[in-house]
Amino acid sequence: MIPTLFGIMVVNFLIVQAAPGGPVEQVIARLQGHDVGAAARIGGSVAAEGTDASMAVDLDRVDSRYRGARGIDPDLLIELERMYGFDKPAHERFVSMIWGYVRFDFGSSFYRDRAVLDLVLDKMPVSISLGLWTTLFIYAISIPLGIAKAVRDGSRFDVWSSSAVIVGNAVPGFLFAILLIVLFAGGHYVQWFPLRGLTSSDVEELSTLGRMVDYLWHICLPVMSLVIGGFAGLTLLTKNSFLEEIGKQYVLTARAKGLGDQRVLYGHVFRNAMLIVIAGFPAAFVGILFTGALLTEIIFSLDGLGLLGYEAAVQRDYPVVFGTLYFFTFLGLILQLIGDLTYTLVDRRIDFDRRDG
């Protein structure tokens, strides 16, 4: 886990160093009155070109490192570099960052004037809520559906349920989110669910039960959109895994001994077939947090880690970018370890201490 985490941070640090439009250029662009939003990055530059020659300073003094730096006081550039830590070589900045991460010191945001750790802790409940609820419902739907499709392989139920799986696999979750908003959040039809946030504005005035109901009311559509867009893959994985196990010799032997179908299916096949499903849990959970939840958080105005990371990447807020990356990577590795250890609970034949060479 340690070398994997270190390698991911090294690769992403090198990529970020090559990306144009760093925080110093962001400030230069703002000083010159230019847009530094996401749309401004399509052209590959956030700063103005061809500024008034009468305001230009000696390029040797400016060091020609920043786009649009003509007309900016060199002393200001030096101060900006010192403010954002770019007065040091890249390798020194990386070592300092990693040493801080070892001590769980993620630094402070360039633009929010808050510690990165405080920002992550503030946004984490939203993303964790989305990830846990979505993963719970995806597994609760996909595993029984996959088993039913495997047992009834080739039947009318299998064919019709495959149609739903194909649609769920083909249509992105954010399109379902937009459809749900149109249908149920006041788009053109009914307004049964709220459109923004995870709580109402008067949530503090509600009772404990009222707060729980309010929370579930707000999270219903976001979770539904993620579940619809994510259950297809796990359903097919479960079905194929069970089909492979059902055709093996030990299943035929168990049936020949007179064991019933339910006993064979859940007493013998289930444990072996579920290994590959359990192995995919960490990737599924982290994938929901990293990719699926990002657009969902934006569409439903949910202030979570996905939205925080996106805004930090657009603004080149490097402490937040690397802080969220470190958190997600570390969380993913921990979940992967838990998934490996869960193997031994599902199948007692697996022993990590005794393996053939």
Side-chain angles (χ1 to χ4, degrees):
M1 291 172 57
I2 294 176
T4 300
L5 181 60
F6 180 78
I8 291 174
M9 299 304 297
V10 169
V11 171
N12 283 274
F13 185 84
L14 294 176
I15 292 174
V16 165
Q17 301 311 304
V24 175
E25 288 179 288
Q26 292 260 339
V27 175
I28 292 174
R30 288 192 178 97
L31 290 174
Q32 296 179 341
H34 297 286
D35 183 20
V36 293
R41 299 197 173 277
I42 297 177
S45 175
V46 299
E49 301 292 341
T51 52
D52 190 350
S54 63
M55 296 183 63
V57 297
D58 187 1
L59 290 180
D60 291 334
R61 295 175 62 193
V62 177
D63 201 18
S64 302
R65 284 179 293 178
Y66 303 110
R67 296 174 181 172
R70 293 177 179 272
I72 302 297
D73 187 353
D75 293 333
L76 175 60
L77 291 177
I78 295 174
E79 182 62 27
L80 289 174
E81 284 186 329
R82 185 181 299 111
M83 180 187 305
Y84 295 118
F86 287 91
D87 57 332
K88 300 177 182 178
H91 67 278
E92 291 186 13
R93 285 186 275 120
F94 178 76
V95 171
S96 176
M97 180 184 73
I98 293 299
W99 174 239
Y101 285 4
V102 171
R103 297 177 288 115
F104 290 95
D105 179 11
F106 299 97
S108 299
S109 168
F110 286 159
Y111 308 114
R112 296 173 182 258
D113 195 27
R114 292 188 61 191
V116 174
L117 184 59
D118 292 339
L119 286 172
V120 170
L121 292 178
D122 283 348
K123 313 298 183 183
M124 186 165 38
V126 175
S127 296
I128 294 297
S129 294
L130 282 177
L132 287 177
W133 281 112
T134 303
T135 305
L136 174 63
F137 280 108
I138 285 178
Y139 271 74
I141 295 172
S142 299
I143 293 178
L145 180 59
I147 295 175
K149 287 174 63 64
V151 173
R152 300 171 178 83
D153 184 41
S155 67
R156 182 174 300 179
F157 169 80
D158 183 37
V159 173
W160 283 106
S161 60
S162 294
S163 302
V165 170
I166 292 173
V167 172
N169 191 49
V171 182
F174 70 89
L175 288 182
F176 278 115
I178 296 174
L179 177 62
L180 291 174
I181 289 175
V182 172
L183 294 177
F184 304 114
H188 288 288
Y189 299 94
V190 298
Q191 190 169 2
W192 292 346
F193 298 95
L195 181 60
R196 305 173 63 87
L198 279 185
T199 56
S200 301
S201 57
D202 59 345
V203 66
E204 298 297 333
E205 302 174 5
L206 301 176
S207 63
T208 302
L209 179 60
R211 293 181 183 181
M212 294 176 59
V213 173
D214 182 73
Y215 166 76
L216 295 175
W217 183 45
H218 280 76
I219 206 173
C220 183
L221 291 187
V223 170
M224 191 182 300
S225 67
L226 289 172
V227 169
I228 293 175
F231 84 99
L234 185 59
T235 299
L236 293 178
L237 178 65
T238 304
K239 175 189 175 181
N240 294 334
S241 180
F242 271 80
L243 281 177
E244 182 181 357
E245 292 296 324
I246 289 174
K248 291 185 177 179
Q249 184 63 41
Y250 74 89
V251 176
L252 299 177
T253 303
R255 285 175 175 170
K257 291 181 178 180
L259 296 180
D261 289 341
Q262 296 297 317
R263 178 74 180 275
V264 172
L265 183 63
Y266 294 102
H268 297 275
V269 175
F270 186 82
R271 284 190 174 185
N272 297 329
M274 286 300 294
L275 284 175
I276 191 171
V277 177
I278 292 174
F281 172 79
F285 182 73
V286 176
I288 290 171
L289 291 178
F290 252 131
T291 55
L294 171 59
L295 290 176
T296 302
E297 288 182 9
I298 295 174
I299 291 172
F300 289 98
S301 300
L302 303 177
D303 196 9
L305 286 175
L307 186 58
L308 174 67
Y310 169 76
E311 292 177 345
V314 170
Q315 296 174 349
R316 298 298 194 266
D317 195 345
Y318 293 152
V320 177
V321 170
F322 286 114
T324 54
L325 174 66
Y326 182 89
F327 169 77
F328 276 124
T329 305
F330 186 73
L331 177 62
L333 292 173
I334 291 294
L335 290 174
Q336 188 67 57
L337 176 62
I338 294 174
D340 289 343
L341 295 177
T342 308
Y343 283 154
T344 60
L345 300 177
V346 177
D347 192 341
R348 298 294 182 180
R349 297 173 300 174
I350 296 179
D351 188 348
F352 294 122
D353 294 328
R354 293 180 296 178
R355 292 174 295 177
D356 294 333

